[in-house]
Amino acid sequence: MASEDITKLAESLAKTKVGDGQLSFKGKSLKLNTAEDAEEVIKQIEEFDGLETLCLEGNTVGVEAAKVIAKALEKKSELKRCHWSDMFTGRLRSEIPPALISLGEALITAGAQLMELDLSDNAFGPDGVRGFEALLKSSACYTLQELKLNNCGLGIGGGKILAAALKECHRKSSAQGKPLALKVFVAGRNRLENDGATALAEAFGIIGTLEEVHMPQNGINHPGITALAQAFAINPLLKVINLNDNTFTEKGAVAMAETLKTLRQVEVINFGDCLVRSKGAVAIADAVKEGLHKLKELNLAFGEIQRDAALTVAEALEDKRELEKLDLNGNTLGSEGCEQLREILESFNMAAVLGPLSDDEGEENEEEGEENEDEEEEEEEEEEEEEEQQQQLHERGQGEQELLTRANIIDSQSSTPVPSPPVDVATFLAFPSPEKLLRLGPRCSVLIAQETDTSDVEKVVTTLLRISSVFKDEAPVKTAVHETADALMRKAFGSATFNSDAFVTGLLIHMGLLKSEDKIKAVPSLYGILMTLNHMVQQDYFPKALAPVLSAFVTKPNRAFESCSFARHMLLQTLHQL
């Protein structure tokens, strides 16, 4: 590091906040790559007597720098709080686990007794969990009260590793007579899905001391929600339950409502964007009415809740004198229902607790609503049956693969190879498939763009949807889809006469996210178009003015997102960063 850089670093560190046992480098934007880069940081750590809290947020720490910082921490036995969120900005994912291992080993060597560990906003994925797995299992975490891992990309695998580490920590600490008593758990935006949530639920049930659980935006459906509900029932001290933007449906909501009946300390319930629907809302209302006298906040926004169910929720709040906030926005009450809701709350002298209702979807015909819910439940059951069948097929896969292999051997012995039929743009667009797109050759993007009349907005929308429908994470197909979408949309948006607003409206209608007077059948799966949009919105040709519109509609709960929560999460994250 050049001498002038060291001088600047020293000046920055001179402003470092020190006090109450806390040493903070928060938001300094320090780029600590080498041991030399970290010299001033190390000096301050070594000279700080009674260090209890170390804040490294908003910097970037490399492997070599982490090692020397770790060396300085080996003598800091009084360290209790590690605020280490967003400290690997710009790092390769492979760099993060060894850095975490070094820091974790230092805390173990020091004999630290941690109370808080915050590693949020570090995109380390499942491998990153391996980096602090040993720390979680060690005596340094027997005293842990707060674990924060928001937006770390844990995935199902990371969730399972984390759950196993927590269970091991509880087992070992219990053997020492001081069982792990975790109070706060934060793991939002991590794509945990059902399997990850179920694994963590098992750990929660063993721990039993939780007071706050924050797990929003994790793609959890009713099986995972039900598992969490069962675990929450064994955590009687729970005060805050935040599961915003997961997918309860009636089954999950009813399971959670049964648990709420057993809890007495709950102050905050955030089930917004969770599709609890009317029957689920009524079940939750019954639980609220029976108890929850300390309730301060109830969020059931954007849950496809109809008027009568919403009014039932309001009536259940009559004696909840601690209530400060009720959110029922984005449901289907209609103007009359919204007014009735206000009147009920006014009669309880609680009108001030009601949040805005500006995004109400308008009243839905009751019979139609019930029919829709019944149809949705039937579809859910069909999907569950399909999942079971897929599992059975997977279990039989070995034998089937052997049969296929033998068939391939027989085919390969044929003296005359069977040529693939030729593919043109019209054939691909009529019956899209990844293979056909690739067989169009390296000029597929140019060919499709050339043959698409971009003055016809509807034509552009349907062509984009057909291209994106063949999206796969496999490199050749993914690249072909991205390049073809780029060529098409660059041509469209580059035209002075192209109506961008009409395009995004048509796209949302075909995606089933916006209602239309015309009967237009929505695409069967949103995964491909969501992943393609995630790429498109980052390109220079994409009008930035359309990003808020997309964000608004993708944010709203919709059953179409249930099978593609990861893709939805990725797109929302990208839109948020634009």
Side-chain angles (χ1 to χ4, degrees), residues 10 22 50 97 119 155 193 195 204 223 234 255 273 287 305 319 363 388 430 452 475 477 480 492 519 568:
Q22 173 176 297
L119 290 169
E193 301 185 16
D195 289 349
F204 296 162
I234 315 172
D273 294 304
I305 300 169
D319 62 346
E363 187 171 10
E388 290 177 7
T452 303
V477 177
K519 290 185 178 181
R568 179 195 189 194

Side-chain angles (χ1 to χ4, degrees), residues 39 54 159 273 284 297 378 382 433 482 518-519 547:
E39 282 180 358
L54 178 61
D273 294 304
I284 292 169
E297 294 185 21
E378 288 175 8
E382 288 174 4
S433 73
H482 285 172
D518 300 323
K519 290 185 178 181

